[in-house]
Amino acid sequence: MHPVTLLLGIHNHQPVGNFGHVFRMAYDRCYRPFLDLLERHPRIRLTLHYTGPLLDWFEKEEPGFLDRLAKLVVSNQVELLGGGFYEPILSVIPDRDAVGQVTLLSQRLHDRLGAVPRGLWLAERAWDGGLPKKLAPTGLRYTILDDSHFMHAGLDADALTGYYLTEKEGHPLAIFPISKDLRYLIPFRVPEELIAFLARLGERGPGAAVTYADDGEKFGLWPNTYQWVFEERYLERLFDLLEQNAEWLRLRTFSEYLDAHPPTGRVYLPSASYDELMEWALPTDAAKALEDRRAELERAGRLAAYRPFLRGGFWDGFLFKYPESNHMHKRMLDVSERVARAFPPGAGVHDATRLVWRAQGNDAYWHGLFGGLYLNCLRHETYRNLIEAENHVEAAAHKGREWIESRATDLDKDGHEELIVSTRTLGLCLAPACGGSLLELDYRPARFNLSDVLARREEAYHRKLAEASLHQESAGGAPASIHDQIKVKEQDLHQALTYDRHRRLSFLDRFLPPELSFEAFGRIDDEERGDCVQGAYRIDGASPQAKDGALAVPLVFHGMVSLANQAHQITVRKVYRVTERETAVSVAYALESRASGPLAVRFGVELNLTLLAGDDPQRYYEVPGTGRVRLRERGCCSGADRFSMVDEWNRFRVTLRLDRPGDIWYMPIETVSQSEEGAERTYQGSALLASWPLTLNPGATERIEVCLEITEI
């Protein structure tokens, strides 16, 4: 049997904004015990990757861990990989930020651990053909990608070995292909199966070099893996077997192999990631269709032949699939540009630049196996960093003075302009073409985006929830890969599935049947009789300009209301008003009917706001006549002219004020999404509807004013 080279790479990461107890659990159940075993097996040589958030946590909470890691680097047992410090998708952030983040991590690894990284970990193995040129200034020579990238370029996955060279405009980069077979063997099958697999490679001929690289959290943190990996000694048995077979099985670091061997060949790869992510990135209907076609081919025994030609989308597809992700991404690009103009590169990294980089961590922008985008704590941290970075820019520009500014820009890159309004205390994004809505409302003193509410939408795995099992602890033995199982965290979770037909925005204008009751709030789209929510409002008159410390934004929409099988023309005029001194946004409505006679409707203004936690006693509604009510509750109050949401943790109150009493309905927005522990229900925010039964008479104008005010507590 010929010698076989095994290249082992372990990627360890926790996202910006994750809870401290999660970092601690990951350290106790995964990172520390892995290093403990590695120290006891000095002949096990591999490459490790730790992202910036983990290095920061280690430095603060467990600095001895870094000291131990530095010794392994000095002894040449461990090579350390570089990459983007905060684990961004490098292909979708500005070049200056990509180079800056990679340089920052390389510098940290050198200063703290004595390592000089020569390769980098690409977040989610998200490849784009322009990356070799983009990364050229960093000086890094190689990266690691899945064999599926090579398959989609027409190569045979079974024949891949060593590393390959690619380039962009003459800038080279070496790429090591990850074996999917190894990803599913380690650590989910007994170690003897891995040795047998490697032995078969050695029987094929000389020079076989195979790469394993995957998440370190598989070793103790993924469900049911701690018992298998450490208590039942999987990892120790694996290390023992690798050492026992050292006569023919060689363990090398990537840099060592790169220096000693020429490339296997040259290659150009399409934009791609690992197979599972490319499926998740597809629109839901397309993802279900791909899953069905794959199942059909497998039943027919033809899947292996067609597999190279079956692929999903690529990472950027999440920006199409989830408008909330696209908005967050484009906000990041906008703030990055503003920070770069305000604070040009100097001797060090400006605090505002570091905040933008923190906001580029990929986890909050997409969803697959883990919560990701569905976790409001991750999105909140992204927005918190962006708002704080903007605060630096504004403080430098205005030097403590009050101000109000506005600018029109196609922020979301959808072909329609939004209006960005900023004051010392508020940041607003108005979207005339999207129902004349308020797309984003930032309370700047608390660095809090109150509008960050994710809509309820279908996911491909929802159709499997009815058959899913409740999550249970493992009874022992090798755990199933979490790619191969679906569990739920509460019984009959599929009955909670409800989907929205509109984005969860604020100041959406509703025309409803006059007799509609609160019980219909959960299916309000089915009861809608107007077309304003999807309507493209236009600015009424010249471009708005601030005057005397105030800004008025007049919008108009000519639409239809259909009641009793008759369509009636209506005109909605709404004027947003913001001042430089008040932490409030008011909207004055003027409703006109062009029906031939009186038109009886219930007119409502819908708002979707979040305080992040639906069951926290420090975050609650103040309901007139009732008092405190948890945000997870639903209800209504009649004849009210005010309604509040209170956040004692962040010390502010959001009050909805009406110029005439109306009915105020409220309910939680809860999504159903997959996580590593099982599918779960997640509070995203609260929907409020202020409404009035009205009779719109021809030639008359009905006027209503709604104000949203934020105060400190």
Side-chain angles (χ1 to χ4, degrees):
M1 182 170 59
H2 299 283
V4 174
T5 300
L6 177 60
L7 305 161
L8 292 174
I10 308 296
H11 156 66
N12 302 287
H13 170 59
Q14 292 297 322
V16 172
N18 214 354
F19 298 111
H21 72 269
V22 176
F23 277 83
R24 171 56 63 184
M25 180 172 62
Y27 175 80
D28 290 340
R29 297 178 66 88
C30 181
Y31 309 137
R32 179 188 53 76
F34 190 97
L35 207 67
D36 291 344
L37 270 179
L38 200 56
E39 289 174 330
R40 296 203 296 269
H41 292 266
R43 287 184 292 172
I44 301 298
R45 305 183 62 235
L46 45 68
T47 302
L48 296 175
H49 176 243
Y50 297 93
T51 58
L54 269 180
L55 294 177
D56 287 343
W57 188 88
F58 292 146
E59 193 67 78
K60 180 181 178 182
E61 302 292 339
E62 296 288 346
F65 181 87
L66 295 178
D67 297 334
R68 295 167 61 194
L69 188 58
K71 292 179 181 178
L72 296 176
V73 172
V74 171
S75 70
N76 203 32
Q77 184 181 354
V78 165
E79 177 187 9
L80 291 179
L81 280 172
F85 193 92
Y86 293 105
E87 194 70 351
I89 302 297
L90 292 174
S91 61
V92 299
I93 65 174
D95 289 4
R96 62 176 176 272
D97 294 333
V99 172
Q101 287 222 40
V102 173
T103 302
L104 179 63
L105 182 56
S106 295
Q107 191 65 49
R108 173 71 69 86
L109 294 177
H110 177 266
D111 294 347
R112 182 61 176 87
L113 299 168
V116 180
R118 299 176 62 194
L120 78 156
W121 181 266
L122 282 181
E124 303 307 322
R125 282 101 77 191
W127 172 258
D128 177 83
L131 283 173
K133 181 181 179 183
K134 191 171 196 172
L135 295 171
T138 70
L140 299 181
R141 292 185 57 195
Y142 74 86
T143 190
I144 313 165
L145 298 175
D146 288 69
D147 53 10
S148 58
H149 293 69
F150 292 77
M151 290 171 57
H152 298 310
L155 280 72
D156 180 0
D158 292 334
L160 297 176
T161 186
Y163 68 92
Y164 295 75
L165 278 184
T166 191
E167 58 81 29
K168 185 66 174 181
E169 296 182 24
H171 298 282
L173 190 69
I175 304 175
F176 289 86
I178 301 167
S179 166
K180 186 173 183 178
D181 290 329
L182 290 190
R183 284 206 297 126
Y184 278 72
L185 280 170
I186 303 174
F188 303 112
R189 309 293 294 180
V190 295
E192 289 78 9
E193 291 192 36
L194 171 66
I195 301 302
F197 174 85
L198 297 173
R200 289 193 295 273
L201 292 183
E203 293 169 354
R204 294 181 185 177
V210 61
T211 291
Y212 168 84
D214 210 349
D215 296 343
E217 290 75 23
K218 285 184 174 182
F219 299 91
L221 193 60
W222 281 21
N224 305 324
T225 57
Y226 180 79
Q227 179 181 350
W228 168 246
V229 170
F230 295 112
E231 293 180 349
E232 298 182 28
R233 302 181 57 250
Y234 162 84
L235 190 58
E236 188 160 18
R237 289 186 289 130
L238 174 64
F239 285 175
D240 286 341
L241 280 174
L242 293 175
E243 290 172 331
Q244 292 166 17
N245 290 276
E247 181 177 331
W248 62 273
L249 185 53
R250 300 167 180 171
L251 297 177
R252 298 289 185 266
T253 65
F254 293 104
S255 287
E256 185 178 18
Y257 187 90
L258 191 72
D259 290 340
H261 297 84
T264 305
R266 184 164 56 92
V267 71
Y268 293 92
L269 304 177
S271 295
S273 183
Y274 51 92
D275 280 339
E276 297 89 349
L277 183 142
M278 292 195 291
E279 294 174 25
W280 300 328
L282 287 173
T284 297
D285 287 343
K288 290 193 295 185
L290 176 60
E291 186 178 284
D292 292 342
R293 299 297 84 74
R294 182 179 286 116
E296 291 171 6
L297 289 169
E298 188 168 24
R299 288 193 298 269
R302 304 171 68 190
L303 181 59
Y306 283 89
R307 188 183 297 277
F309 310 104
L310 289 174
R311 60 168 292 174
F314 57 108
W315 192 90
D316 305 53
F318 291 112
L319 304 179
F320 168 73
K321 184 175 184 177
Y322 303 109
E324 298 91 343
S325 173
N326 181 64
H327 178 76
M328 189 161 54
H329 176 256
K330 300 310 181 288
R331 280 277 283 124
M332 176 273 293
L333 295 180
D334 184 67
V335 176
S336 174
E337 179 64 28
R338 296 187 68 203
V339 167
R341 289 199 306 266
F343 309 108
V349 178
H350 193 278
D351 288 346
T353 302
R354 179 71 74 98
L355 289 163
V356 170
W357 291 354
R358 286 174 59 87
Q360 291 170 344
N362 77 86
D363 304 80
Y365 290 89
W366 65 283
H367 172 65
L369 190 62
F370 304 112
L373 177 73
Y374 279 91
L375 298 180
N376 58 18
C377 62
L378 298 186
R379 301 196 313 273
H380 173 70
E381 182 66 14
T382 298
Y383 278 116
R384 188 189 70 80
N385 284 293
L386 291 176
I387 295 167
E388 188 170 352
E390 282 189 310
N391 287 349
H392 280 277
V393 174
E394 302 292 8
H398 299 286
K399 304 185 185 305
R401 300 186 300 270
E402 302 283 355
W403 82 90
I404 184 167
E405 291 180 341
S406 67
R407 57 190 172 98
T409 180
D410 181 8
L411 182 72
D412 286 348
K413 308 306 176 191
D414 59 357
H416 301 284
E417 283 195 338
E418 287 77 43
L419 190 67
I420 310 298
V421 181
S422 64
T423 73
R424 186 178 59 82
T425 57
L426 290 180
L428 286 77
C429 179
L430 303 179
C434 191
S437 64
L438 177 61
L439 196 60
E440 182 174 340
L441 173 62
D442 299 332
Y443 179 48
R444 301 178 70 162
R447 304 182 300 281
F448 201 113
N449 177 5
L450 288 156
S451 300
D452 181 22
V453 182
L454 193 69
R456 302 169 296 181
R457 56 175 52 86
E458 183 185 11
E459 296 286 354
Y461 55 79
H462 281 173
R463 59 181 174 172
K464 300 178 182 178
L465 291 185
E467 293 78 36
S469 60
L470 282 171
H471 172 69
Q472 296 177 346
E473 291 300 321
S474 171
S481 168
I482 50 180
H483 293 287
D484 299 328
Q485 55 183 309
I486 183 165
K487 298 182 180 293
V488 294
K489 296 175 71 172
E490 63 178 274
Q491 198 70 52
D492 297 325
L493 184 61
H494 63 284
Q495 296 181 4
L497 294 176
T498 302
Y499 305 130
D500 295 317
R501 295 204 293 268
H502 69 286
R503 290 177 64 181
R504 285 289 171 180
L505 308 176
S506 288
F507 294 105
L508 294 173
D509 307 327
R510 296 283 192 179
F511 285 87
L512 306 164
E515 70 281 359
L516 193 70
S517 65
F518 161 74
E519 286 72 20
F521 192 18
R523 58 176 195 278
I524 192 169
D525 281 334
D526 296 333
E527 301 293 344
E528 177 65 58
R529 297 295 182 265
D531 56 0
C532 296
V533 172
Q534 292 82 24
Y537 286 60
R538 62 175 177 81
I539 293 177
D540 194 10
S543 298
Q545 300 292 328
K547 183 179 181 181
D548 298 328
L551 177 72
V553 182
L555 302 178
V556 63
F557 178 70
H558 302 291
M560 305 293 292
V561 173
S562 298
L563 288 167
N565 297 319
Q566 286 190 323
H568 309 278
Q569 293 182 335
I570 52 98
T571 296
V572 177
R573 301 181 190 277
K574 57 195 295 187
V575 180
Y576 285 90
R577 187 173 188 276
V578 183
T579 72
E580 65 181 24
R581 294 187 176 276
E582 297 175 312
T583 310
V585 52
S586 65
V587 182
Y589 284 91
L591 310 177
E592 301 172 8
S593 169
R594 283 175 282 171
S596 58
L599 180 62
V601 297
R602 176 177 288 272
F603 174 71
V605 178
E606 179 185 333
L607 301 103
N608 291 279
L609 305 170
T610 185
L611 299 183
L612 298 178
D615 203 28
D616 183 347
Q618 291 187 301
R619 297 176 171 106
Y620 51 87
Y621 301 119
E622 284 182 340
V623 180
T626 302
R628 295 188 180 187
V629 174
R630 295 281 179 94
L631 299 180
R632 69 182 181 191
E633 303 295 336
R634 60 186 63 217
C636 61
C637 50
S638 302
D641 61 2
R642 69 178 57 196
F643 186 92
S644 295
M645 297 172 66
V646 179
D647 187 338
E648 292 183 356
W649 181 262
N650 289 288
R651 303 193 60 79
F652 64 82
R653 172 184 282 103
V654 184
T655 300
L656 174 64
R657 301 184 186 278
L658 313 178
D659 73 333
R660 66 164 86 173
D663 300 329
I664 299 178
W665 301 346
Y666 55 91
M667 72 174 192
I669 302 301
E670 295 177 315
T671 54
V672 175
S673 59
Q674 192 165 245
S675 74
E676 62 269 37
E677 294 289 346
E680 61 188 359
R681 191 192 308 240
T682 302
Y683 170 84
Q684 297 295 343
S686 297
L688 309 178
L689 184 76
S691 66
W692 302 262
L694 301 176
T695 299
L696 303 179
N697 292 302
T701 300
E702 194 76 38
R703 300 185 185 277
I704 293 172
E705 186 166 345
V706 177
C707 180
L708 206 56
E709 179 185 42
I710 306 171
T711 54
E712 292 185 13
I713 58 173

